[in-house]
Structure formats: structure tokens, C-alpha cells
Amino acid sequence: MHPDDLLARYGERLTHLERQPAREAVVEPWPDWVPPGVRAAFAGQGATHLWAHQREALDHVHARRNVIVTTGTASGKSLAFQVPALTALDAGRGGAALQGGRMPSVLYLAPTKALAADQLRRVRELDPGVRAATVDGDNSREERQWAREHASWVLTNPDTLHHAILPGHQRWSRLLRGLNLIVIDECHHYRGVFGAHVALILRRLLRLCEHVGADPVVICSSATVADPEAFARRLTGLDAIAVTEDASPCGERTVALWEPPPLTSDQPAASGARRSASHEAADLIADLAVAGVQSVCFVRSRRGAEHVTERAQCRLHEIDPELSGRVATYRGGYLPEERRALEVRLRSRDLLALTSTSALELGIDVSGLDAVVTVGFPGTRASLVQQWGRAGRGRESTALGVLIARPDPIDTYLVHHPEAVFDAPVETSVFTTDNPYVLGPHLAAAAQELPLTEAELEPRFGPRARSGVEALTEAGWLRRRPAGWFWTRREQAADLADLRGGSGRQVQIVDSTTGRLVGTADAGSADATVHEDAVYVHQGNAYVVEEYRPDEAIALVRRDDPGWSTQARSSTRVDIVDVARSSDWGEAAVSTGIVDVTTQVTSYLRRDNHGGGTLGEEPLDLPERSLRTSAVWWTLPPEQVREHLAEGVDVPGAAHAAEHASIGLLPLLATCDRWDLGGLSTSLHADTGHLTVFVHDAHPGGAGFAEHGYTVAATWLRFTRDTIAACPCTGGCPACVQSPKCGNGNEPLDKAGAVGLLDLVLREAHDPGST
């Protein structure tokens, strides 16, 4: 069935249809330097010739040049590192050792254990004789010892590299001395705080390689990265050549932007309430299954994925009970054999629909589908394009991609501004290795691995490395000797770094009756979610918090459903510590710098689960929490606000609404999520003397998001203004100015006032840029 035939019945929901033409393949011959056995292995899997981008990447690697390959999903990027890796290992088996008698080896780095395990299976299919092994937290002692002593191809993840391989590099010296190739797969996942940590881990790895005389070529791989050469340099510290022109064949693709309809036909659009995006997705994939169209549906949460599957199965059971068993769910945490079973069912087309979180993208090899349905913007255009790229079974097929908007400012903006999806470049991957909370632990870890020298500080670790080393020395953690700075403590320095960017110990949520661990809460959100008497929901089960001990990072809960939910209320104060840059926009101004954010959860509301009304508010006695981080803020003098805003505007409500919407829209320009950000708005701030709206990174020291917001401030705030203005609701809704994380219960908000306020700010606005 052609996508047009199916989408015709949903026409009123479609805000835009985009036709993407088919692409012809550009073919190149195999290079002569590839051994016959390696070429035969790929020919056995159908690769009898190369796409032009594969040949280009292979030629660069063979010439010992670092490469970043950023062609589309399912374009054969893996071949660009598999061929040179197997060629080097084949030569080693044939007796061709590297200089100094070292046997060649390969290190493959993936964001997840599942992706590394999948790559191991492929390597073994290509060359059953290769000595390859995954090294991660699931290894037994014997498996890890075998990898250290025998493996020539080690597949791992940043966490294991950081916590085990680099601190124990003497035991891994055989692997490190022979490193011929380092592969950094799915490198677009390394952004924000996590990206900064990985960048410093790679610098430590390359430092140790240099120490033992290895000179590996680095290959980065990703379907979509903005400015790939600059990104590779920021991630690895090395220059790299970008291979970006996709020469693989691709069929025609139809892409639909979809906005759910109002809940009822007689409901006024001004209410802002629309049908659930997950219900829309379930109905769509059920219709696709009935038509024999194989699809995958990406949903942002595990519960959401399960809900879509259950609803689709129920609908299919009414039509054809046999079809209901051909819809399944995939999520993180599946066993390897479960992943393989799903993959086999997809490839055989026994499975007609699969719903999943983004874990599927890093868990099993899924491509060649008929349709991809994405429920809610996945965070970046790069991810959206990658997901849609999994549809298309060849040059002659017609694929379908769909984005179904959730009630969220960025979703609303995109489905009504298709140019922001199809004509704009993918986002810049934002991270900064200068964050002292990130840099300091890695300097300590590097010193424990090998004494740090003066000459290598800035060239390898950046301009703030010297001050970081001095701070660690003053604290007594490093000691300077003629050979360099040494680690002085008994514990492992690598344990100082939390790669995933947490701001403290996770709070353990324990069932007080059974002692069973129910779940965990991030330190930054625990006060709001597991305070005493909070109702905590886990996997559909309600618990009431009996006791919360923040100092011990534990919350005791009991199974109970009191019939209400709880919502914490908090107060926030932002103090400006340092203004790094500022730009005048006439009377308005935009700035970026360091701030101290002080928050305190002060009370909670009890809300009825049936009517939604407030049953009461209870005070809480919890400590203040302080966060020093990066922020971007814009200001307007009070006299400008009084003179130009319409009479009757609630100024605090207007600023508050503009703050919420701007937080919701920044992920359109920076690779972050709204939960990576926080904010504050005030009609008169003590440090500026003006109306001020802050947006800050929610990570200690900053993650680079707010700073990037400063460089594109005018573009960002115009997006914000247009999204608020275009929303048909009257008083504000989740699609424009309401926020699911507001500590004040989304009060006060003035939607119309926010548009007027942003018009004032933007009268003479321009993007300050990065300089």
C-alpha cells in the first residue's frame, strides 16, 4: 500500500507532507590492499561492491588519516571500520607485526553494552577466527582476563574504559601497545556533560597510547552530526577528515507532520487539549499492520511504549486476532537472546509493528522497514532523521516517516514550521571540557595513570587544565615532583567522575515492608519526588513515602493508593557570579556567565486523581540546595516594560510564560532536553535592576547548553515568540507556556503578555555568535 492511500484517511491531522525523492547509488570497486579473505567475507553478506563514501573512508584510513563518517542510517558506515580492522588483524595473524614486534589490535567504543554486543556478533560472522571480546560490567573475572591476555579486538563502552581499562592500563598494555585503530561508534550520543566526560576519557586513552608507542587511527561514525570535522576535533582532540556524501541507494520517502485533533469535535481549540499522541500512534500502527505495512514506533518512555503496544494489540484483536500477536515492545534491559529474537522476527516480517524507546537504536539492527512513527520530537533533528532513515527497503520501495506531536512547545513549533525540520541543519552537539566539575576528576585520573607534565596540560586538556591541577594540588590530592604531578590518595581517582552527569548520590527508594529496592531518584529531583507523604508511582503501582532521609540518600515507601497525587512547590533564587559576555539589543540586553542557583522545596499540593482539583497544600521542611552553573539571561529596564506593554498585562506572569517557552524551545538549537535546563523569571532582579529571565544548565559547572543559547539568542527567542503566538489556546497550555517541571504550579502565566514582552526584547535583536 502506498503511504498516500493510508494517510488520506488522516488528512485533517496532517500539518505538512514532504516528498523526498529516491537516490541512485554511486558504486566504487574494492581497493587492492584489502585481502581476498576479508573481501570474500563481505561478499558473503552481499557487499560485492562499495558505495563511494565507503571507498572514500577506506582510502583515508589506509593512508593513516583520522576520519568521521556521517552518512545516513543503514548506509554501511560500519564497513568503513570493519574492513581496515579485519585487514590489520589478518596481517597480524600472517606475521606482519607492527614496529617493535607489537601485534595489531582494535578498540571499539559504543555508548551502550547492547550495541557493543551486537557489533561483536557481526565481527564474528565476518571472521569466526578473530579474537574479539566485549569488556563491560557483565564480564566474569575469567572473561576479562582472557580479553586482556588474548583479544585483538576489544569492544567496550565509555564507562568501562574510564573505570577499568584506563586505571588498569598496565594490565592492558598488550592491547594498548598494539592499537592500530580506535572506533567511536554512534558518536552523536556524546553531548552535554556525558560528551565532555567522554572527550576527556579519549584524551586520557590517547595519552597512554602515546606513552607506549602506539599511534592508532581514530574513526568516528554517526548518521548525523553538525560540522563533523569540528565535532571530531572537540571529541577526540585530533584533526579528522569528514566523509559526508551518502552514496548508498535510497527509495522515495513520504514524511508527515501530524498534530492530534481536539479531544472532541465540539471542543473549542482555545482549550488547548488534544487527543493523546500515544493513542494516535497506536491507531496508526494498527492500521499499518492491517495493510501489511511493517513499522516501528519510537516513544520516549518505557511506559509509553508499552501503552502504545497494548492499545494497538486491542484494536487489532477486534479486526483480526492473529494480527495482535504480530505487535511487540522493545525496551532497554532485554537479554541478548531476546533482542536477537525480535530482530529475526522483524527481518522475516513475522513482526509487523514494534514499539520502542530510543534504546532500540542502540540495541538491535533495525532497518529496511516500511514506516517509522515517532511520538514526540526525540530531542534533536539528528535523532529524528536517523529514526526515519530506518524505513526504506531499497531503491524501488516507498517509505513513510511520521512525527506525531505531543503537547510540548517544541513539538508544536515543528509541526507548524516544517522548514525547521526539513530545511535547517542538524543541531550542534554541545559540550564543554572546561567545566571544572568535569575536568578536575579527569586530571586526577590522568595523574594516577601517568604523572602529569607541564608541557601536556594545555595542549591535551585545554586552557583551564593548569588552574585545575593547581586546585587539586592545593587540596592535597596531587603532589608535584620533578617528573610531574602525582596522585596522592589511596582510592581510585576515576571514581571521582560521574560520567552521566549526576549531581550527587542517587536516592534509594525502598519498600519499608519487604526491604525491596523499588527504584531510584536523582539527587537533584529527589526532594520534589520522594519527600515525606509524597505519592510515588513506579511501573503503574502507587507508593506513599513514609520517611525521607536526604543525608542518607534513602526514602522508605509503602504500597498504597490514597486517591490523590502530590506535586511539590519550590522557591528559586539566582545570583549572578560572573558575566562572561553580554550583547546590547537597544534597551534590552542578553548575557551569559556563571550563576548560583539556590532552590528549596517548600510545600506540596495534593491533587484529586479523578477530578484533578487541589485537596490541600502541606508545608515541608527541607534544606536549600545550591548549584553553581552556566546561564543565559535577557533583561529589560522597568520603564520600557511600563511604557510599552499593554495595559492589564501581568508582568511577572508574562516573564514566567516566556521563561517556560524558551526552556522548551532551546533543544531545537542545542542537543539537550528541557530536563537538562532550569530557569527563573522576575520583574526586578537584585543583580541587574531590570526585568530578567534566566535559563541555566541543570548540571554543576554547566554543560554548554546555556552558552550555546547565548550565541543563537535572537533565533531562539524568535522561535519562542512565534510558538506562543501561534498556539490557538487562550490562557496558555502544555503546547506553549505550561511546564511539567514548574515549581510554582504554572502560576502566574500570561500568554499574551509573553508575546508582547518578547516583541519588546527582539526589536533590535541579533545573534551574538560564539566570538
Side-chain angles (χ1 to χ4, degrees):
M1 175 179 284
H2 194 279
D4 288 4
D5 300 329
L6 194 67
L7 290 172
R9 73 184 67 172
Y10 293 106
E12 76 283 358
R13 290 162 161 85
L14 306 184
T15 60
H16 181 77
L17 275 179
E18 184 85 5
R19 314 290 186 183
Q20 297 177 341
R23 182 180 64 232
E24 299 287 348
V26 181
V27 177
E28 293 284 350
W30 280 82
D32 294 337
W33 52 264
V34 178
V38 173
R39 189 185 303 186
F42 283 92
Q45 296 194 348
T48 55
H49 51 258
L50 300 175
W51 312 132
H53 65 267
Q54 293 173 324
R55 176 61 191 265
E56 180 186 356
L58 290 179
D59 288 343
H60 286 310
V61 176
H62 185 63
R64 308 298 296 168
R65 303 184 192 107
N66 303 315
V67 173
I68 178 167
V69 184
T70 60
T71 53
T73 304
S75 61
K77 293 184 294 297
S78 296
L79 183 145
F81 59 79
Q82 289 169 344
V83 168
L86 293 175
T87 297
L89 299 184
D90 182 73
R93 287 197 297 256
L98 300 173
Q99 184 179 4
R102 300 187 299 271
M103 298 306 295
S105 58
V106 175
L107 182 67
Y108 170 93
L109 193 67
T112 65
K113 293 186 289 186
L115 184 59
D118 182 70
Q119 190 62 225
L120 175 65
R121 178 180 59 85
R122 296 193 203 182
V123 169
R124 287 177 172 168
E125 287 173 354
L126 288 165
D127 185 352
V130 71
R131 293 179 300 173
T134 54
V135 176
D136 54 43
D138 295 338
N139 291 132
S140 66
R141 181 179 299 178
E142 293 75 19
E143 288 171 332
R144 190 164 291 191
Q145 182 177 349
W146 185 91
R148 285 197 302 267
E149 295 176 357
H150 303 290
S152 55
W153 189 326
V154 168
L155 303 98
T156 189
N157 54 69
D159 307 79
T160 303
L161 183 61
H162 168 69
H163 286 292
I165 296 177
L166 297 184
H169 64 93
Q170 294 92 342
R171 291 183 293 169
W172 291 91
S173 61
R174 183 194 59 82
L175 174 78
L176 296 176
R177 290 179 67 248
L179 267 188
N180 183 265
L181 198 66
I182 296 173
V183 179
I184 307 170
D185 204 2
E186 300 291 347
C187 62
H188 63 281
H189 285 271
Y190 303 130
R191 60 181 187 258
V193 171
F194 184 42
H197 279 295
V198 173
L200 290 163
I201 290 168
L202 291 171
R203 282 156 175 76
R204 287 163 49 205
L205 169 64
L206 291 167
R207 176 176 182 255
L208 292 175
C209 288
E210 182 179 308
H211 177 68
V212 297
D215 185 23
V217 172
V218 177
I219 301 180
C220 299
S221 173
S222 170
T224 40
V225 169
D227 196 356
E229 291 182 346
F231 172 78
R233 174 78 190 181
R234 200 161 59 247
L235 183 64
T236 67
L238 303 172
D239 291 327
I241 296 172
V243 176
T244 60
E245 197 68 34
D246 195 333
S248 62
C250 179
E252 180 186 77
R253 179 176 286 112
T254 297
V255 179
L257 303 183
W258 177 306
E259 185 171 48
L263 281 172
T264 60
S265 58
D266 59 350
Q267 172 197 320
S271 71
R274 295 184 175 274
R275 193 166 183 261
S276 162
S278 61
H279 287 185
E280 296 280 283
D283 292 349
L284 176 57
I285 66 170
D287 286 346
L288 290 169
V290 170
V293 177
Q294 189 184 44
S295 66
V296 64
C297 178
F298 288 104
V299 188
R300 296 200 70 174
S301 71
R302 293 182 180 185
R303 288 181 64 189
E306 296 284 1
H307 174 70
V308 170
T309 297
E310 291 170 7
R311 184 177 176 88
Q313 287 173 335
C314 288
R315 180 166 178 180
L316 287 170
H317 187 78
E318 297 171 356
I319 301 169
D320 181 350
E322 186 274 333
L323 286 177
S324 66
R326 300 177 70 182
V327 180
T329 304
Y330 176 87
R331 58 174 174 77
Y334 275 27
L335 297 173
E337 54 268 27
E338 293 173 315
R339 294 196 301 267
R340 296 288 80 76
L342 287 173
E343 193 172 339
V344 169
R345 290 187 68 194
L346 278 171
R347 288 180 172 174
S348 68
R349 298 184 70 82
D350 172 59
L351 202 59
L352 281 174
L354 184 68
T355 64
S356 175
T357 64
S358 59
L360 178 140
E361 297 182 84
L362 297 178
I364 61 178
D365 180 24
V366 178
S367 59
L369 303 163
D370 300 316
V372 171
V373 179
T374 300
V375 182
F377 183 61
T380 64
R381 282 186 295 268
S383 295
L384 186 61
V385 169
Q386 283 185 298
Q387 290 180 0
W388 286 341
R390 296 187 179 276
R393 287 184 286 120
R395 175 66 178 79
E396 303 305 319
S397 68
T398 300
L400 171 67
V402 181
L403 171 63
I404 301 179
R406 295 172 305 147
D408 185 271
I410 197 166
D411 290 35
T412 303
Y413 182 87
L414 290 175
V415 296
H416 290 285
H417 293 83
E419 71 282 358
V421 177
F422 302 107
D423 299 335
V426 296
E427 304 87 344
T428 301
S429 290
V430 176
F431 62 83
T432 172
T433 56
D434 285 345
N435 181 338
Y437 295 90
V438 175
L439 178 60
H442 288 283
L443 290 172
Q448 188 174 31
E449 291 152 8
L450 197 69
L452 281 168
T453 64
E454 181 85 42
E456 68 178 329
L457 288 182
E458 183 168 342
R460 194 177 297 277
F461 294 105
R464 298 191 68 173
R466 178 58 194 259
S467 60
V469 165
E470 290 173 349
L472 289 167
T473 304
E474 185 176 347
W477 291 13
L478 294 184
R479 180 176 295 122
R480 190 169 191 181
R481 291 289 183 263
W485 283 273
F486 289 75
W487 176 247
T488 64
R489 302 170 73 90
R490 304 179 79 174
E491 61 265 37
Q492 184 165 288
D495 292 340
L496 295 172
D498 177 1
L499 302 194
R500 306 290 168 165
S503 56
R505 281 193 299 166
Q506 285 198 320
V507 174
Q508 308 293 301
I509 303 169
V510 178
D511 189 317
S512 62
T513 304
T514 65
R516 181 179 64 89
L517 180 66
V518 175
T520 61
D522 292 335
S525 62
D527 285 2
T529 55
V530 292
H531 56 78
E532 289 191 5
D533 296 323
V535 177
Y536 174 77
V537 180
H538 181 75
Q539 294 185 352
N541 298 315
Y543 297 81
V544 173
V545 180
E546 294 182 327
E547 188 176 357
Y548 173 43
R549 306 173 190 164
D551 293 341
E552 300 175 38
I554 190 171
L556 300 177
V557 301
R558 70 175 187 276
R559 277 288 296 273
D560 190 11
D561 188 353
W564 63 75
S565 61
T566 52
Q567 180 182 1
R569 297 182 70 106
S570 61
S571 63
T572 302
R573 185 180 75 250
V574 175
D575 299 308
I576 298 172
V577 177
D578 178 61
V579 180
R581 286 183 289 165
S582 190
S583 180
D584 289 333
W585 290 353
E587 295 293 338
V590 62
S591 305
T592 185
I594 303 299
V595 298
D596 282 336
V597 182
T598 304
T599 59
Q600 184 179 25
V601 175
T602 56
S603 64
Y604 68 93
L605 302 176
R606 288 184 289 115
R607 295 190 181 278
D608 183 70
N609 285 345
H610 304 290
T614 300
L615 301 176
E617 182 173 359
E618 303 294 335
L620 289 169
D621 183 19
L622 289 169
E624 289 186 339
R625 306 288 186 183
S626 184
L627 172 72
R628 178 161 291 189
T629 189
S630 297
V632 54
W633 61 92
W634 49 266
T635 61
L636 266 177
E639 58 272 17
Q640 289 291 312
V641 176
R642 288 193 298 269
E643 182 179 346
H644 295 288
L645 274 192
E647 188 175 347
V649 166
D650 179 346
V651 175
H656 194 198
E659 173 213 331
H660 281 183
S662 60
I663 289 173
L665 269 296
L666 183 54
L668 189 61
L669 298 167
T671 49
C672 65
D673 187 272
R674 72 188 304 162
W675 298 93
D676 292 317
L677 305 167
L680 174 76
S681 57
T682 175
S683 55
L684 187 66
H685 191 267
D687 292 335
T688 66
H690 293 170
L691 179 148
T692 308
V693 174
F694 292 91
V695 174
H696 63 80
D697 292 344
H699 302 277
F705 305 134
E707 186 178 2
H708 186 69
Y710 172 81
T711 67
V712 295
T715 302
W716 167 35
L717 294 182
R718 286 191 185 102
F719 284 164
T720 301
R721 184 262 178 219
D722 292 346
T723 299
I724 300 171
C727 188
C729 74
T730 52
C733 70
C736 57
V737 299
Q738 290 183 4
S739 170
K741 53 184 290 190
C742 180
N744 293 314
N746 285 298
E747 295 175 356
L749 292 175
D750 187 333
K751 175 188 172 183
V755 174
L757 193 60
L758 287 166
D759 282 337
L760 274 179
V761 171
L762 290 165
R763 285 192 301 181
E764 298 183 42
H766 58 88
D767 285 334
S770 58
T771 57

